[in-house]
Amino acid sequence: MALHIIDHPLVQHKLSIMRDKETSTMKFRELLQEISMLMGYEVTRDMPLTYEEIETPLMKMSAPKIAGKKVVVVPILRAGLGMIDGLMKLIPSARVGHIGLYRDEETCQPVFYYYKMPANKDRAVILTDPMLATGGSACDAIARLKADGFERIRLMCLVASPQGVKAVEEKYPDVDVYVAAVDEGLNDKNYILPGLGDAGDRIFGTK
Ligand code: PRP
Ligand code: URA
């Protein structure tokens, strides 16, 4: 597995504002969308190109274009939804799948409730979830995608714990992980420290 830490100053600055407990729901959501677009730039860096003959006002040229338009963005509900608008601005033709999972408050195990993906399994998947804590939810989502026949999977998170990164790395060495930060660890309730709190609650204002 390759771990890509996106340490661009704009990403880091915006993430710091998101972490601040005084940041409003509106601002949090806006920043998550902006960061997702900036991270999307890196997540799509190695998209294959094809060359097409075009004519500029001055001459003909062989111009690079994205080869095919076969991406599916897959948010892990709920919080992953906050990352898709930024990505969709970059890749407007992408399809959108959905995986519904929540973490049981007592056991911290993922509970599955929804799965809907496009039929074409050749699409490259960008799986989104702001938080990679124990890694249970991400691993469950990846397992379901693989069982369904999707093979090219990238995971895009905002904040990860070292434990979450390790869990994905050990189970799915073929999945590249993109994060803005790997934090110190987890507390006794498996929340990321220092983290940013409950991402779903902060995006949707449900606390
Ligand atoms: C959060 C987060 C991840 C999961 C991470 O979702 O968005 O999906 O927890 O924890 P893990 O790595 O230990 O599995 P949550 O269960 O709060 O659901 P929500 O997005 O619906 O609020
Ligand atoms: N889920 C969150 O939203 N935040 C954490 O820190 C851990 C799991």
Side-chain angles (χ1 to χ4, degrees):
M1 175 196 93
L3 173 67
H4 305 257
I5 300 176
I6 299 173
D7 58 359
H8 191 288
L10 282 173
V11 171
Q12 295 302 316
H13 176 82
K14 289 175 195 291
L15 173 58
S16 297
I17 301 171
M18 291 181 74
R19 289 183 188 273
D20 189 330
K21 66 178 185 180
E22 301 300 337
T23 296
S24 69
T25 292
M26 190 183 80
K27 190 77 194 159
F28 189 92
R29 214 185 277 152
E30 191 180 293
L31 288 164
L32 182 57
Q33 197 184 119
E34 289 170 11
I35 292 184
S36 303
M37 180 143 67
L38 293 167
M39 290 182 74
Y41 185 75
E42 287 301 324
V43 175
T44 54
R45 178 175 281 285
D46 61 355
M47 274 175 114
L49 291 173
T50 182
Y51 287 81
E52 275 178 28
E53 181 98 340
I54 61 158
E55 216 172 323
T56 77
L58 300 177
M59 62 180 282
K60 285 188 177 163
M61 73 173 283
S62 172
K65 299 219 171 141
I66 303 284
K69 296 190 174 75
K70 295 191 168 15
V71 173
V72 53
V73 176
V74 185
I76 299 180
L77 308 178
R78 292 176 299 168
L81 281 173
M83 300 179 88
I84 70 168
D85 288 349
L87 280 176
M88 297 303 289
K89 282 201 176 120
L90 288 183
I91 326 166
S93 62
R95 302 296 159 89
V96 183
H98 292 86
I99 299 181
L101 289 172
Y102 69 88
R103 213 171 65 152
D104 181 278
E105 280 186 15
E106 295 299 315
T107 65
C108 287
Q109 293 304 306
V111 180
F112 171 78
Y113 61 91
Y114 189 72
Y115 184 89
K116 185 77 185 176
M117 286 292 289
N120 181 355
K121 320 281 186 213
D122 290 336
R123 288 180 178 273
V125 173
I126 304 177
L127 183 62
T128 68
D129 194 330
M131 310 307 278
L132 183 63
T134 63
S137 304
C139 286
D140 192 311
I142 294 167
R144 287 173 197 280
L145 290 167
K146 283 183 175 276
D148 193 21
F150 291 91
E151 279 171 8
R152 296 185 294 147
I153 303 170
R154 288 166 183 208
L155 174 64
M156 178 173 138
C157 301
L158 187 60
V159 180
S161 72
Q163 294 92 324
V165 171
K166 188 161 176 271
V168 177
E169 188 170 28
E170 282 178 359
K171 273 197 164 164
Y172 301 107
D174 59 314
V175 173
D176 279 6
V177 180
Y178 295 78
V179 298
V182 179
D183 277 8
E184 288 163 22
L186 298 169
N187 71 7
D188 59 0
K189 293 199 162 84
N190 285 324
Y191 273 79
I192 299 176
L193 294 175
L196 47 74
D198 187 305
D201 283 342
R202 295 201 64 188
I203 294 167
F204 297 109
T206 44
K207 197 87 186 182

